[in-house]
Every structure is written in C-alpha cells, then in structure tokens.
Amino acid sequence: MWASSRAVQALMRCLNAVLGGRESHGPIGTRLPALLYTLAAIAGVPVLLALVAAFPVVLEHLGRGRVARAAVSVARWAALVLFIGVGPALL
C-alpha cells in the first residue's frame, strides 16, 4: 500500500510538472490524496474484472431476452470505459 501510494504520488508530481501546476500542499496534503487514489484503484480493479469476466456469466443464468442482453452488454462496456476514464481524470 505504501509503495503503491508513493507511485501515485510520483505520478501526481509528474503530471503537475507536465501541466505546469505547482504543488501548494504540504507533505500531508499530497500523501492523503495519493493514499485515497490508491485505495480507489484497489477497490476498482475487482469491479472492472467483474464487469468484464463475471457479469456475462451472471447475465446468461438470468435468462433474459436477446434485446435485454444486448442493452446490458452495451451498458457494461460504457461503465467500463467510464471507470477507466475517471481514474486518470481524478489524478
């Protein structure tokens, strides 16, 4: 957890350097968001894996119609793209 949050903190510093921002927070002000982003990533990976791998199996067992399966599949991929897009946007 500590090493992963340090990597996120380094990524935040690099993005500030690239985008021309200055770090106005102290060590605690940068460490806390890095820890929170790391926890969100750790919690988000199982959700993403469930959307990709487990959700289609569950959907097949529910026995929904073809149109419902297609709609849920589109919604599943839209949610996946949203989750993947939100992470870097938060940084």
Side-chain angles (χ1 to χ4, degrees):
M1 180 71 173
W2 186 261
S4 297
S5 68
R6 293 281 296 178
V8 171
Q9 192 175 17
L11 182 61
M12 290 167 57
R13 274 195 311 270
C14 290
L15 286 172
N16 278 338
V18 168
L19 298 175
R22 290 184 309 173
E23 189 59 56
S24 60
H25 305 292
I28 294 175
T30 56
R31 172 55 95 190
L32 185 61
L35 281 169
L36 291 175
Y37 292 147
T38 304
L39 283 173
I42 290 171
V45 167
V47 171
L48 294 175
L49 287 175
L51 279 173
V52 172
F55 195 67
V57 174
V58 171
L59 188 61
E60 286 296 321
H61 287 303
L62 290 177
R64 299 288 178 192
R66 197 173 76 192
V67 174
R69 280 197 308 260
V72 171
S73 179
V74 168
R76 172 178 65 119
W77 287 107
L80 184 66
V81 168
L82 180 73
F83 279 137
I84 291 174
V86 166
L90 286 175
L91 284 176

